[in-house]
Amino acid sequence: MIQIVQVVFRFGPLLFAFGFLAPLTAQIIKSAGWTPPFGLSSLTTGLIIGGLLGVVAQARGRWI
Amino acid sequence: MSDISTTTETGLAKIEREIARRHIGKFPYLAVTWAFTNIVVWLSLWPLVMLGVIPLWAGFIIATLNIMLSYLPSHEAQHDIIAQPGSRLRWLNELVGHISTIPLLLPYRVAKLTHLEHHKHANDPNLDPDHGTQAKGPLAAIWTSIRNRQPGHENAYRGTLQRIGRADVLLDYVVYELVFYTILFTLAWTGFALEAALLWWLPRHIALTYIQFYLSWAPHHPATETGRYRNTRSFRSIVGNLGSMGMQYHIVHHLHPRIPLYRTPQAYWEMKPVLEARGARIEEL
């Protein structure tokens, strides 16, 4: 159990990116009425943007 | 107060204690009412915003104020101001302590143990768990607060709990974090990401910055001196005493932590000549 929790916290930025930032970005796109490029859905766009931010934050150890 | 310029150190200490005694032991109705009202309002925001009764932007403002105001009732409980151990209303003290900081994600036991260490070792770079908020100026203080919350940054409270042999309390932290992120992710993936962001996630970050600024950085700045009369100060805030959550008179709190927050201004003005005579950091007020 402790090991699972440690893994969860170690990958916190990635989990936060896919668990929260991705759907948040998708909802912002929808609410603002924007159309993502290349025929991407708002959720796919959210996953790409959120995922990229998460990967960078995971690698750097900080969001900003 | 009569002229105290000729009063001995022992005499000054006695006068200070007598003034403090007059303010200790008063039941803090304000803090108790504040704690329950604050949590009820914050919880009410969720259905009210989700059902469209109030707009999300208004919910965001109210939630931010709620979470900014969530720490102080718990702070009164941490110092046993609502009820002492063994007294009839002790349950109320502990209840206020536990519930008020839920939106802030700060478990009561973590807050209490680390805060008492802050009092014991204020401004000690190695032992004060709040020393990480030290910064050269206001903007640097805000940036430091944000930087301290980045994923790779070492958590000073965790280190303090381990140092004092209370690593068991870290479990509270883990439970709070896991529950928080489970709720946040569930809301986000069921179509309420904006609501989760603007009623909890972002307000909490704004509140943490504000709380660390006024409860930790401002009253201790520049946080270089130790000793009861030098490790904190009185100061004038540009947003007044209410806007700085009563922290202008923080020196009274450090000297006499059982004086309720709402009585610290009065205690300060009564005590001021004594504090000056004893070499306390009386600044701007």
Side-chain angles (χ1 to χ4, degrees):
Chain A
M1 182 63 189
I2 291 170
Q3 281 179 331
I4 294 170
V5 171
Q6 281 175 337
V7 169
V8 167
F9 281 99
R10 190 176 308 141
F11 292 101
L14 276 178
L15 287 170
F16 185 77
F18 289 106
F20 186 62
L21 286 184
L24 177 64
T25 308
Q27 201 176 329
I28 290 169
I29 291 169
K30 267 189 190 169
S31 304
W34 295 331
T35 309
F38 313 118
L40 295 171
S41 70
S42 56
L43 185 57
T44 308
T45 311
L47 285 165
I48 292 169
I49 294 172
L52 280 173
L53 289 171
V55 168
V56 172
Q58 184 72 45
R60 295 169 74 208
R62 57 194 166 93
W63 288 98
I64 51 174
Chain B
M1 190 181 292
S2 57
D3 180 29
I4 59 164
S5 58
T6 55
T7 310
T8 63
E9 187 58 29
T10 312
L12 289 171
K14 190 179 170 203
I15 296 169
E16 188 186 317
R17 275 199 308 273
E18 280 169 2
I19 295 169
R21 202 172 294 132
R22 286 204 294 271
H23 296 280
I24 291 172
K26 311 280 187 228
F27 185 78
Y29 289 98
L30 178 67
V32 175
T33 312
W34 170 351
F36 291 109
T37 307
N38 201 50
I39 193 83
V40 167
V41 170
W42 181 70
L43 288 172
S44 306
L45 288 175
W46 294 87
L48 290 173
V49 167
M50 286 173 174
L51 295 171
V53 179
I54 59 171
L56 183 54
W57 65 264
F60 167 61
I61 294 169
I62 298 167
T64 304
L65 289 171
N66 277 146
I67 305 182
M68 284 160 82
L69 292 169
S70 70
Y71 180 74
L72 284 175
S74 170
H75 182 245
E76 300 281 271
Q78 288 163 32
H79 288 289
D80 304 324
I81 288 171
I82 299 164
Q84 288 279 290
S87 63
R88 192 172 54 84
L89 289 176
R90 182 61 177 172
W91 63 270
L92 185 60
N93 189 84
E94 300 305 274
L95 183 63
V96 168
H98 281 287
I99 66 154
S100 51
T101 50
I102 288 172
L104 202 57
L105 289 188
L106 179 61
Y108 176 51
R109 295 199 303 169
V110 173
K112 179 166 184 162
L113 288 168
T114 55
H115 186 64
L116 295 182
E117 285 299 299
H118 162 67
H119 271 261
K120 266 191 217 168
H121 306 291
N123 294 353
D124 184 320
N126 299 314
L127 300 175
D128 179 358
D130 294 334
H131 193 263
T133 60
Q134 186 192 36
K136 281 181 182 171
L139 289 177
I142 292 168
W143 176 244
T144 301
S145 170
I146 295 167
R147 196 193 57 198
N148 288 351
R149 262 173 274 143
Q150 298 304 304
H153 198 274
E154 193 179 334
N155 186 321
Y157 284 10
R158 183 172 59 202
T160 298
L161 291 171
Q162 286 169 335
R163 178 176 59 76
I164 63 173
R166 292 304 309 270
D168 58 304
V169 177
L170 286 170
L171 183 64
D172 298 12
Y173 237 149
V174 172
V175 171
Y176 268 55
E177 294 267 323
L178 289 178
V179 170
F180 172 65
Y181 286 110
T182 303
I183 293 172
L184 208 65
F185 295 175
T186 305
L187 284 168
W189 281 98
T190 51
F192 296 104
L194 271 172
E195 288 79 358
L198 296 178
L199 295 182
W200 201 352
W201 180 75
L202 185 57
R204 175 176 170 264
H205 278 290
I206 295 170
L208 281 169
T209 307
Y210 172 76
I211 289 168
Q212 287 175 355
F213 186 92
Y214 273 120
L215 269 74
S216 192
W217 178 78
H220 293 282
H221 182 65
T224 50
E225 291 184 83
T226 53
R228 287 188 77 222
Y229 289 84
R230 304 297 301 171
N231 61 18
T232 183
R233 62 174 181 155
S234 62
F235 68 100
R236 189 179 296 281
S237 161
I238 55 166
V239 290
N241 197 44
L242 279 181
S244 59
M245 294 191 292
M247 291 303 118
Q248 289 191 152
Y249 308 99
H250 198 63
I251 189 160
V252 169
H253 171 65
H254 264 258
L255 291 170
H256 303 282
R258 290 202 48 235
I259 295 179
L261 176 69
Y262 79 101
R263 308 250 338 170
T264 54
Q266 196 184 336
Y268 173 81
W269 292 114
E270 291 172 16
M271 238 177 239
K272 188 180 174 188
V274 179
L275 298 179
E276 281 175 323
R278 302 194 81 185
R281 286 183 61 201
I282 303 298
E283 296 174 14
E284 301 165 348
L285 274 177

